[in-house]
Coordinates of all heavy atoms in Angstrom, one line a residue:
M796 N -18.9 14.6 -7.1 CA -18.5 13.5 -6.2 C -17.0 13.8 -5.8 O -16.2 14.2 -6.6 CB -18.6 12.2 -7.0 CG -17.9 11.1 -6.2 SD -17.8 9.6 -7.1 CE -19.3 8.8 -6.7
L797 N -16.8 13.6 -4.6 CA -15.4 13.8 -4.0 C -14.6 12.5 -4.2 O -15.1 11.4 -3.9 CB -15.6 14.2 -2.6 CG -14.4 15.0 -2.0 CD1 -14.2 16.3 -2.7 CD2 -14.7 15.3 -0.5
K798 N -13.4 12.7 -4.6 CA -12.5 11.5 -4.8 C -11.2 11.8 -4.0 O -10.7 12.9 -3.9 CB -12.1 11.4 -6.3 CG -13.1 10.9 -7.2 CD -13.1 9.4 -7.2 CE -13.8 8.8 -8.4 NZ -13.8 7.4 -8.4
L799 N -10.6 10.7 -3.5 CA -9.3 10.7 -3.0 C -8.4 10.1 -4.1 O -8.5 9.0 -4.5 CB -9.2 9.8 -1.7 CG -10.0 10.2 -0.6 CD1 -9.8 9.2 0.6 CD2 -9.8 11.6 -0.1
R800 N -7.4 10.9 -4.6 CA -6.6 10.5 -5.7 C -5.2 11.1 -5.6 O -4.9 11.9 -4.7 CB -7.2 10.8 -7.0 CG -7.5 12.3 -7.3 CD -8.3 12.4 -8.5 NE -8.1 13.6 -9.2 CZ -8.8 14.1 -10.1 NH1 -9.9 13.5 -10.5 NH2 -8.5 15.3 -10.7
L801 N -4.3 10.8 -6.5 CA -3.0 11.2 -6.5 C -2.7 12.4 -7.5 O -3.3 12.3 -8.6 CB -2.0 10.1 -6.9 CG -2.0 8.9 -5.9 CD1 -1.1 7.8 -6.5 CD2 -1.5 9.3 -4.5
T802 N -1.9 13.3 -7.1 CA -1.4 14.3 -8.1 C 0.1 14.2 -8.1 O 0.7 13.9 -7.2 CB -1.8 15.8 -7.6 OG1 -1.2 16.0 -6.4 CG2 -3.3 16.0 -7.5
R803 N 0.6 14.4 -9.3 CA 2.0 14.2 -9.6 C 2.9 15.4 -9.2 O 2.5 16.5 -9.6 CB 2.3 13.8 -11.0 CG 3.7 13.2 -11.3 CD 3.8 12.8 -12.7 NE 5.0 12.1 -13.0 CZ 6.2 12.5 -13.0 NH1 6.4 13.8 -12.9 NH2 7.3 11.8 -13.3
L804 N 4.0 15.1 -8.6 CA 5.0 16.1 -8.3 C 6.3 15.6 -8.8 O 6.4 14.5 -9.2 CB 5.1 16.5 -6.8 CG 3.8 16.9 -6.1 CD1 4.0 16.9 -4.6 CD2 3.4 18.3 -6.6
G805 N 7.4 16.3 -8.6 CA 8.7 15.8 -8.8 C 9.2 16.1 -10.2 O 8.5 16.6 -11.1
D806 N 10.5 15.8 -10.4 CA 11.2 16.0 -11.7 C 10.8 14.9 -12.7 O 10.2 13.9 -12.4 CB 12.7 16.0 -11.5 CG 13.1 17.1 -10.5 OD1 12.5 18.2 -10.5 OD2 14.1 17.0 -9.8
K807 N 11.3 15.1 -13.9 CA 11.2 14.1 -14.9 C 11.9 12.9 -14.5 O 13.0 12.9 -14.1 CB 11.8 14.7 -16.2 CG 11.7 13.9 -17.4 CD 12.3 14.6 -18.6 CE 12.1 13.8 -19.9 NZ 12.7 14.5 -21.0
K808 N 11.2 11.7 -14.6 CA 11.7 10.4 -14.3 C 12.0 10.2 -12.8 O 12.6 9.3 -12.4 CB 13.0 10.1 -15.1 CG 12.8 10.2 -16.6 CD 13.3 9.1 -17.3 CE 13.1 9.4 -18.8 NZ 13.1 8.3 -19.6
R809 N 11.6 11.2 -11.9 CA 11.7 11.1 -10.5 C 10.4 11.5 -9.8 O 10.3 12.6 -9.2 CB 12.8 11.9 -9.9 CG 14.2 11.5 -10.5 CD 15.3 11.5 -9.6 NE 15.1 11.5 -8.2 CZ 15.2 10.5 -7.4 NH1 15.4 9.3 -7.9 NH2 15.0 10.6 -6.1
P810 N 9.3 10.7 -10.0 CA 8.0 11.2 -9.5 C 7.9 11.1 -8.0 O 8.5 10.2 -7.4 CB 7.0 10.2 -10.2 CG 7.8 8.9 -10.4 CD 9.3 9.4 -10.6
S811 N 7.0 11.9 -7.5 CA 6.5 11.8 -6.2 C 5.0 12.3 -6.3 O 4.7 13.0 -7.2 CB 7.2 12.6 -5.2 OG 7.2 14.0 -5.5
Y812 N 4.2 11.8 -5.4 CA 2.8 12.1 -5.5 C 2.2 12.6 -4.2 O 2.7 12.3 -3.1 CB 2.0 10.8 -5.9 CG 2.4 10.2 -7.2 CD1 3.4 9.3 -7.3 CD2 1.8 10.6 -8.4 CE1 3.8 8.8 -8.6 CE2 2.1 10.1 -9.6 CZ 3.2 9.2 -9.7 OH 3.5 8.7 -10.9
R813 N 1.2 13.4 -4.3 CA 0.4 13.9 -3.2 C -0.9 13.2 -3.2 O -1.6 13.1 -4.2 CB 0.1 15.4 -3.3 CG 1.1 16.2 -2.5 CD 0.6 17.6 -2.5 NE 1.7 18.5 -2.1 CZ 1.8 19.7 -2.6 NH1 0.9 20.3 -3.3 NH2 2.8 20.5 -2.2
L814 N -1.4 12.7 -2.0 CA -2.7 12.2 -1.9 C -3.6 13.4 -1.6 O -3.4 14.1 -0.6 CB -2.8 11.1 -0.8 CG -4.1 10.4 -0.8 CD1 -3.9 8.9 -1.0 CD2 -4.7 10.6 0.6
V815 N -4.6 13.6 -2.4 CA -5.5 14.8 -2.2 C -7.0 14.4 -2.3 O -7.3 13.3 -2.9 CB -5.2 15.9 -3.3 CG1 -3.8 16.4 -3.2 CG2 -5.5 15.4 -4.7
A816 N -7.8 15.2 -1.8 CA -9.3 15.1 -1.9 C -9.6 16.2 -2.9 O -9.3 17.4 -2.7 CB -10.0 15.4 -0.6
M817 N -10.3 15.8 -4.0 CA -10.8 16.8 -5.0 C -12.0 16.3 -5.8 O -12.3 15.1 -5.7 CB -9.6 17.1 -6.0 CG -9.1 16.0 -6.7 SD -7.6 16.3 -7.8 CE -7.4 18.0 -7.8
E818 N -12.6 17.2 -6.5 CA -13.8 16.8 -7.3 C -13.4 15.8 -8.4 O -12.3 15.9 -8.9 CB -14.4 18.0 -7.9 CG -15.2 18.9 -6.9 CD -16.4 18.1 -6.4 OE1 -17.1 17.4 -7.1 OE2 -16.7 18.3 -5.2
A819 N -14.2 14.9 -8.7 CA -13.9 13.8 -9.6 C -13.6 14.4 -11.0 O -12.8 13.8 -11.7 CB -15.0 12.8 -9.7
L820 N -14.3 15.4 -11.4 CA -14.2 15.9 -12.8 C -13.1 16.9 -13.0 O -12.9 17.4 -14.1 CB -15.5 16.5 -13.3 CG -16.7 15.5 -13.3 CD1 -17.9 16.2 -13.7 CD2 -16.4 14.3 -14.2
S821 N -12.3 17.3 -11.9 CA -11.3 18.2 -12.1 C -10.0 17.6 -12.7 O -9.9 16.4 -12.7 CB -10.9 18.9 -10.7 OG -10.5 17.9 -9.8
K822 N -9.1 18.4 -13.2 CA -7.9 18.0 -13.8 C -7.0 17.2 -12.8 O -7.1 17.5 -11.6 CB -7.1 19.1 -14.4 CG -7.9 19.8 -15.5 CD -7.1 20.9 -16.1 CE -7.8 21.6 -17.2 NZ -7.1 22.8 -17.7
R823 N -6.0 16.4 -13.3 CA -5.2 15.7 -12.4 C -4.4 16.6 -11.4 O -4.3 16.3 -10.2 CB -4.2 14.9 -13.2 CG -3.2 14.1 -12.3 CD -2.0 13.5 -13.1 NE -1.1 14.6 -13.5 CZ 0.0 14.4 -14.2 NH1 0.2 13.2 -14.7 NH2 0.7 15.4 -14.5
D824 N -3.9 17.7 -11.9 CA -3.1 18.6 -11.1 C -3.9 19.9 -10.8 O -3.3 20.9 -10.5 CB -1.8 18.9 -11.7 CG -0.9 17.7 -11.9 OD1 -1.0 16.8 -11.0 OD2 0.0 17.6 -12.8
G825 N -5.2 19.8 -10.8 CA -6.0 20.9 -10.5 C -6.1 21.3 -9.1 O -5.3 20.7 -8.2
G826 N -7.0 22.2 -8.7 CA -7.1 22.6 -7.3 C -7.7 21.6 -6.4 O -8.7 21.0 -6.7
A827 N -7.0 21.3 -5.3 CA -7.4 20.3 -4.4 C -8.1 20.9 -3.2 O -7.9 22.1 -2.9 CB -6.2 19.5 -3.9
I828 N -9.1 20.2 -2.7 CA -9.8 20.6 -1.5 C -8.9 20.5 -0.2 O -8.9 21.3 0.6 CB -11.1 19.8 -1.3 CG1 -12.0 20.1 -2.5 CG2 -11.8 20.2 0.0 CD1 -13.2 19.2 -2.6
A829 N -8.2 19.3 -0.2 CA -7.3 19.1 1.0 C -6.1 18.2 0.6 O -6.3 17.3 -0.3 CB -8.1 18.4 2.1
Y830 N -5.0 18.4 1.2 CA -3.8 17.6 1.0 C -3.7 16.6 2.2 O -3.6 17.0 3.3 CB -2.5 18.5 0.9 CG -2.6 19.4 -0.3 CD1 -2.9 20.7 -0.1 CD2 -2.4 18.9 -1.6 CE1 -2.9 21.6 -1.2 CE2 -2.4 19.7 -2.7 CZ -2.7 21.1 -2.5 OH -2.8 21.9 -3.6
L831 N -3.7 15.3 1.8 CA -3.8 14.3 2.9 C -2.6 13.4 3.1 O -2.6 12.6 3.9 CB -5.0 13.4 2.5 CG -6.3 14.1 2.3 CD1 -7.4 13.2 1.8 CD2 -6.8 14.8 3.6
G832 N -1.6 13.6 2.2 CA -0.4 12.8 2.4 C 0.5 12.8 1.2 O 0.2 13.5 0.2
N833 N 1.6 12.1 1.3 CA 2.6 12.0 0.2 C 2.9 10.5 -0.1 O 2.9 9.7 0.9 CB 3.9 12.7 0.5 CG 3.6 14.2 0.6 OD1 3.1 14.8 -0.3 ND2 4.0 14.8 1.8
Y834 N 3.3 10.2 -1.3 CA 3.7 8.9 -1.7 C 4.9 9.0 -2.6 O 5.0 9.8 -3.5 CB 2.6 8.2 -2.5 CG 2.9 6.9 -3.2 CD1 3.4 5.9 -2.4 CD2 2.7 6.7 -4.5 CE1 3.8 4.7 -3.1 CE2 3.0 5.5 -5.2 CZ 3.6 4.5 -4.4 OH 3.9 3.3 -5.0
F835 N 6.0 8.3 -2.2 CA 7.3 8.4 -2.9 C 7.6 7.0 -3.4 O 8.2 6.2 -2.7 CB 8.4 8.9 -1.9 CG 8.1 10.2 -1.2 CD1 7.5 10.2 0.0 CD2 8.3 11.4 -1.9 CE1 7.2 11.4 0.6 CE2 8.1 12.6 -1.3 CZ 7.5 12.6 0.0
P836 N 7.3 6.7 -4.7 CA 7.4 5.3 -5.2 C 8.9 4.9 -5.4 O 9.2 3.7 -5.3 CB 6.7 5.4 -6.5 CG 6.7 6.8 -6.9 CD 6.6 7.6 -5.6
L837 N 9.8 5.8 -5.6 CA 11.2 5.5 -5.8 C 12.0 5.3 -4.5 O 13.1 4.8 -4.5 CB 11.9 6.5 -6.7 CG 11.3 6.6 -8.1 CD1 12.1 7.7 -8.9 CD2 11.3 5.3 -8.8
E838 N 11.4 5.7 -3.4 CA 12.1 5.6 -2.1 C 11.5 4.4 -1.3 O 10.9 4.6 -0.2 CB 11.9 6.9 -1.3 CG 12.6 8.1 -1.9 CD 12.4 9.4 -1.2 OE1 12.0 9.3 0.0 OE2 12.6 10.4 -1.7
D839 N 11.6 3.2 -1.8 CA 11.0 2.0 -1.2 C 9.5 2.2 -0.9 O 9.0 1.7 0.1 CB 11.7 1.6 0.0 CG 13.2 1.3 -0.2 OD1 13.4 0.7 -1.3 OD2 14.0 1.6 0.6
S840 N 8.8 2.9 -1.8 CA 7.3 3.1 -1.7 C 7.0 3.8 -0.3 O 6.0 3.3 0.3 CB 6.6 1.9 -1.9 OG 6.8 1.4 -3.2
R841 N 7.7 4.7 0.1 CA 7.5 5.4 1.4 C 6.2 6.2 1.3 O 5.9 6.9 0.3 CB 8.7 6.4 1.7 CG 8.5 7.0 3.0 CD 9.8 7.7 3.4 NE 10.2 8.8 2.5 CZ 10.0 10.1 2.7 NH1 9.4 10.4 3.8 NH2 10.4 10.9 1.9
V842 N 5.4 6.1 2.3 CA 4.1 6.8 2.4 C 4.0 7.6 3.7 O 4.3 7.1 4.7 CB 2.9 5.8 2.3 CG1 1.6 6.5 2.4 CG2 3.0 5.0 1.0
V843 N 3.5 8.8 3.6 CA 3.2 9.7 4.7 C 1.8 10.1 4.6 O 1.4 10.7 3.6 CB 4.2 10.9 4.7 CG1 3.8 11.8 5.9 CG2 5.6 10.5 4.7
L844 N 1.0 9.7 5.6 CA -0.5 10.0 5.5 C -1.0 10.7 6.8 O -0.5 10.5 7.9 CB -1.2 8.7 5.4 CG -0.9 7.8 4.2 CD1 -1.7 6.5 4.4 CD2 -1.3 8.5 2.9
K845 N -2.0 11.5 6.6 CA -2.8 12.2 7.7 C -4.0 11.3 7.9 O -5.1 11.6 7.3 CB -3.1 13.6 7.3 CG -2.0 14.5 7.1 CD -2.4 15.9 6.7 CE -1.3 16.8 6.4 NZ -1.8 18.1 5.8
E846 N -3.9 10.3 8.7 CA -4.9 9.3 8.9 C -6.2 9.8 9.3 O -7.3 9.5 8.8 CB -4.4 8.2 9.9 CG -3.3 7.3 9.3 CD -3.0 6.2 10.3 OE1 -3.9 5.8 11.1 OE2 -1.9 5.7 10.2
E847 N -6.2 10.7 10.3 CA -7.5 11.2 10.8 C -8.3 12.0 9.8 O -9.5 11.8 9.6 CB -7.2 12.2 12.0 CG -6.7 11.4 13.2 CD -6.4 12.4 14.4 OE1 -6.8 13.6 14.3 OE2 -5.8 11.9 15.3
E848 N -7.6 12.8 9.0 CA -8.3 13.5 7.9 C -8.8 12.6 6.8 O -9.9 12.8 6.3 CB -7.4 14.6 7.3 CG -7.0 15.7 8.3 CD -6.2 16.8 7.6 OE1 -6.5 17.2 6.5 OE2 -5.3 17.3 8.3
I849 N -8.0 11.6 6.5 CA -8.4 10.6 5.5 C -9.7 9.9 5.9 O -10.7 9.7 5.2 CB -7.3 9.6 5.2 CG1 -6.1 10.3 4.4 CG2 -7.8 8.5 4.3 CD1 -4.9 9.5 4.3
L850 N -9.7 9.5 7.2 CA -10.9 8.8 7.7 C -12.1 9.7 7.7 O -13.2 9.2 7.4 CB -10.6 8.2 9.1 CG -9.6 7.1 9.2 CD1 -9.2 6.8 10.6 CD2 -10.1 5.9 8.5
K851 N -11.9 11.0 8.0 CA -13.0 11.9 8.0 C -13.6 12.0 6.6 O -14.8 12.0 6.4 CB -12.5 13.3 8.5 CG -13.6 14.3 8.5 CD -13.1 15.7 9.0 CE -12.4 16.3 7.8 NZ -12.1 17.7 7.9
F852 N -12.8 12.1 5.6 CA -13.3 12.2 4.2 C -14.0 10.9 3.8 O -15.0 11.0 3.1 CB -12.1 12.6 3.2 CG -11.8 14.0 3.1 CD1 -10.7 14.6 3.8 CD2 -12.7 14.9 2.4 CE1 -10.4 15.9 3.7 CE2 -12.4 16.2 2.4 CZ -11.3 16.7 3.0
L853 N -13.4 9.8 4.1 CA -14.0 8.5 3.8 C -15.4 8.3 4.4 O -16.3 7.9 3.8 CB -13.1 7.3 4.2 CG -11.8 7.2 3.3 CD1 -10.9 6.1 4.0 CD2 -12.2 6.8 1.9
K854 N -15.5 8.7 5.7 CA -16.8 8.6 6.4 C -17.8 9.6 5.8 O -19.0 9.3 5.9 CB -16.6 9.0 7.9 CG -15.9 7.9 8.6 CD -15.6 8.2 10.1 CE -14.8 7.1 10.7 NZ -14.4 7.5 12.1
N855 N -17.4 10.7 5.2 CA -18.3 11.6 4.5 C -18.6 11.2 3.1 O -19.3 12.0 2.4 CB -17.7 13.0 4.6 CG -17.8 13.6 6.0 OD1 -18.7 13.2 6.8 ND2 -16.9 14.4 6.4
G856 N -18.1 10.1 2.6 CA -18.5 9.6 1.3 C -17.5 9.8 0.2 O -17.8 9.5 -1.0
A857 N -16.3 10.2 0.5 CA -15.3 10.3 -0.6 C -14.9 8.9 -1.1 O -14.7 8.0 -0.3 CB -14.1 11.1 -0.1
Q858 N -14.7 8.8 -2.4 CA -14.3 7.5 -3.0 C -12.9 7.5 -3.4 O -12.4 8.4 -4.1 CB -15.2 7.2 -4.2 CG -16.7 7.1 -3.9 CD -17.0 5.9 -3.1 OE1 -16.5 4.9 -3.3 NE2 -17.8 6.2 -2.0
P859 N -12.1 6.5 -2.9 CA -10.7 6.5 -3.3 C -10.5 5.8 -4.7 O -11.3 5.0 -5.1 CB -10.0 5.6 -2.3 CG -11.1 4.7 -1.8 CD -12.4 5.6 -1.9
T860 N -9.5 6.2 -5.4 CA -9.2 5.5 -6.7 C -8.6 4.2 -6.3 O -8.3 3.9 -5.2 CB -8.2 6.3 -7.6 OG1 -7.0 6.5 -6.8 CG2 -8.8 7.7 -8.0
R861 N -8.4 3.3 -7.3 CA -7.8 2.0 -7.1 C -6.4 2.1 -6.5 O -6.1 1.3 -5.5 CB -7.7 1.2 -8.4 CG -8.7 0.1 -8.5 CD -8.5 -0.8 -9.7 NE -9.3 -0.2 -10.8 CZ -9.0 -0.2 -12.0 NH1 -7.8 -0.7 -12.4 NH2 -9.8 0.3 -12.9
T862 N -5.6 2.9 -7.0 CA -4.3 3.1 -6.5 C -4.3 3.6 -5.1 O -3.5 3.1 -4.2 CB -3.5 4.0 -7.4 OG1 -3.5 3.6 -8.7 CG2 -2.0 4.1 -7.0
V863 N -5.1 4.6 -4.8 CA -5.1 5.2 -3.4 C -5.7 4.1 -2.5 O -5.1 4.0 -1.3 CB -6.0 6.4 -3.4 CG1 -6.3 6.9 -2.0 CG2 -5.3 7.5 -4.2
K864 N -6.6 3.3 -2.9 CA -7.2 2.3 -2.0 C -6.1 1.3 -1.7 O -6.0 0.9 -0.5 CB -8.4 1.6 -2.6 CG -9.0 0.6 -1.7 CD -10.3 0.0 -2.3 CE -10.8 -1.0 -1.3 NZ -12.0 -1.7 -1.8
S865 N -5.3 0.9 -2.6 CA -4.2 -0.1 -2.3 C -3.2 0.5 -1.4 O -2.6 -0.2 -0.5 CB -3.5 -0.5 -3.6 OG -2.8 0.5 -4.2
I866 N -2.9 1.8 -1.5 CA -2.0 2.5 -0.6 C -2.6 2.5 0.8 O -1.9 2.2 1.8 CB -1.7 3.9 -1.0 CG1 -0.8 3.9 -2.3 CG2 -1.0 4.7 0.0 CD1 -0.6 5.3 -3.0
L867 N -3.9 2.8 0.9 CA -4.5 2.8 2.2 C -4.6 1.4 2.9 O -4.5 1.3 4.1 CB -5.9 3.4 2.1 CG -6.0 4.9 1.7 CD1 -7.5 5.3 1.5 CD2 -5.3 5.8 2.6
V868 N -4.8 0.4 2.1 CA -4.8 -1.0 2.6 C -3.4 -1.3 3.1 O -3.3 -1.9 4.3 CB -5.2 -2.0 1.5 CG1 -4.9 -3.4 1.9 CG2 -6.7 -1.8 1.1
K869 N -2.3 -1.0 2.4 CA -1.0 -1.3 2.9 C -0.6 -0.5 4.2 O 0.1 -1.0 5.0 CB 0.0 -1.0 1.8 CG 0.0 -2.0 0.6 CD 0.9 -1.6 -0.5 CE 0.7 -2.4 -1.7 NZ 1.6 -2.0 -2.8
A870 N -1.2 0.7 4.3 CA -0.9 1.5 5.5 C -1.8 1.2 6.7 O -1.5 1.6 7.8 CB -1.0 3.0 5.1
G871 N -2.8 0.4 6.4 CA -3.7 0.0 7.5 C -4.8 1.0 7.8 O -5.6 0.8 8.7
V872 N -4.9 2.0 7.0 CA -6.0 3.0 7.2 C -7.3 2.4 6.7 O -8.4 2.7 7.4 CB -5.7 4.3 6.4 CG1 -6.8 5.3 6.5 CG2 -4.4 4.9 6.9
W873 N -7.3 1.6 5.7 CA -8.6 1.1 5.2 C -9.2 0.1 6.2 O -10.4 0.1 6.4 CB -8.4 0.3 3.8 CG -9.6 0.0 3.2 CD1 -10.2 -1.2 3.1 CD2 -10.5 0.9 2.5 NE1 -11.4 -1.1 2.4 CE2 -11.6 0.2 2.0 CE3 -10.4 2.3 2.2 CZ2 -12.6 0.7 1.3 CZ3 -11.5 2.8 1.4 CH2 -12.5 2.1 1.0
A874 N -8.4 -0.6 6.9 CA -8.9 -1.5 7.9 C -9.6 -0.7 9.1 O -10.6 -1.1 9.6 CB -7.8 -2.4 8.5
K875 N -9.0 0.4 9.4 CA -9.6 1.3 10.5 C -10.9 1.8 10.0 O -11.9 1.9 10.7 CB -8.7 2.4 10.8 CG -7.4 2.0 11.6 CD -6.5 3.2 11.9 CE -5.3 2.8 12.5 NZ -4.4 3.9 12.7
F876 N -11.0 2.2 8.7 CA -12.2 2.7 8.1 C -13.3 1.6 8.1 O -14.5 1.9 8.5 CB -12.0 3.2 6.7 CG -13.3 3.5 5.9 CD1 -14.1 4.6 6.4 CD2 -13.6 2.8 4.8 CE1 -15.2 4.9 5.7 CE2 -14.8 3.1 4.1 CZ -15.6 4.1 4.6
E877 N -13.0 0.4 7.7 CA -14.0 -0.7 7.7 C -14.4 -1.0 9.2 O -15.6 -1.3 9.4 CB -13.3 -1.9 7.1 CG -13.1 -1.8 5.6 CD -14.4 -1.8 4.8 OE1 -15.4 -2.4 5.2 OE2 -14.4 -1.1 3.8
E878 N -13.5 -1.0 10.1 CA -13.8 -1.3 11.5 C -14.8 -0.2 12.0 O -15.8 -0.5 12.7 CB -12.6 -1.3 12.3 CG -12.7 -1.7 13.8 CD -11.4 -1.7 14.5 OE1 -10.5 -2.4 14.0 OE2 -11.3 -1.0 15.5
G879 N -14.5 1.1 11.7 CA -15.4 2.2 12.1 C -16.8 2.1 11.5 O -17.8 2.5 12.1
K880 N -16.9 1.5 10.3 CA -18.2 1.4 9.6 C -19.0 0.4 10.3 O -20.3 0.5 10.3 CB -17.9 1.0 8.1 CG -18.3 2.0 7.1 CD -18.1 1.7 5.7 CE -18.1 0.3 5.2 NZ -18.0 0.2 3.8
K881 N -18.4 -0.6 10.8 CA -19.2 -1.7 11.5 C -19.8 -1.3 12.8 O -20.8 -1.8 13.2 CB -18.3 -2.9 11.7 CG -17.9 -3.6 10.4 CD -17.1 -4.8 10.7 CE -16.6 -5.5 9.4 NZ -15.7 -6.6 9.6
K882 N -19.2 -0.3 13.5 CA -19.7 0.1 14.8 C -20.9 1.0 14.6 O -21.3 1.6 13.8 CB -18.6 0.9 15.5 CG -17.5 0.0 16.0 CD -16.5 0.8 16.8 CE -15.4 -0.2 17.2 NZ -14.4 0.5 17.9

């Protein structure tokens, strides 16, 4: 099963995360299939996303983790996905 989840980057006590698509059973920092964006929690929760690629993975059945889903909701990507599902 394909998951959209976060991998950790950054120094000790200064995290930053990448939003990636990867197999559900792989390690947290294992090999990713695609890099879909960045999340910087210490910089006012700044988020940089590749919306088109994220929507493509969601339409093909990838499941986001709880944290990734909340990031997508705040960025408005989840609403676009739900709207596209209804059509």
Side-chain angles (χ1 to χ4, degrees):
M796 169 188 271
L797 205 59
K798 287 273 200 184
L799 299 182
R800 62 190 210 192
L801 299 174
T802 61
R803 192 180 193 282
L804 303 169
D806 298 330
K807 185 176 179 181
K808 306 225 181 199
R809 298 219 17 100
S811 62
Y812 298 91
R813 265 192 197 146
L814 188 118
V815 298
M817 60 186 350
E818 283 296 321
L820 299 178
S821 61
K822 296 178 182 180
R823 178 192 74 184
D824 295 333
I828 295 170
Y830 297 103
L831 305 171
N833 294 308
Y834 171 56
F835 305 96
L837 298 180
E838 297 177 16
D839 297 326
S840 298
R841 186 168 60 98
V842 179
V843 178
L844 299 174
K845 297 178 182 175
E846 290 186 24
E847 292 177 10
E848 291 184 43
I849 292 170
L850 291 171
K851 182 182 81 170
F852 277 104
L853 289 172
K854 287 176 185 173
N855 288 330
Q858 298 295 312
T860 60
R861 250 186 269 147
T862 306
V863 170
K864 185 175 178 183
S865 70
I866 291 170
L867 295 178
V868 167
K869 289 176 187 174
V872 177
W873 192 257
K875 289 179 184 177
F876 171 63
E877 290 291 327
E878 187 178 304
K880 245 175 34 173
K881 291 179 183 177
K882 290 183 180 180

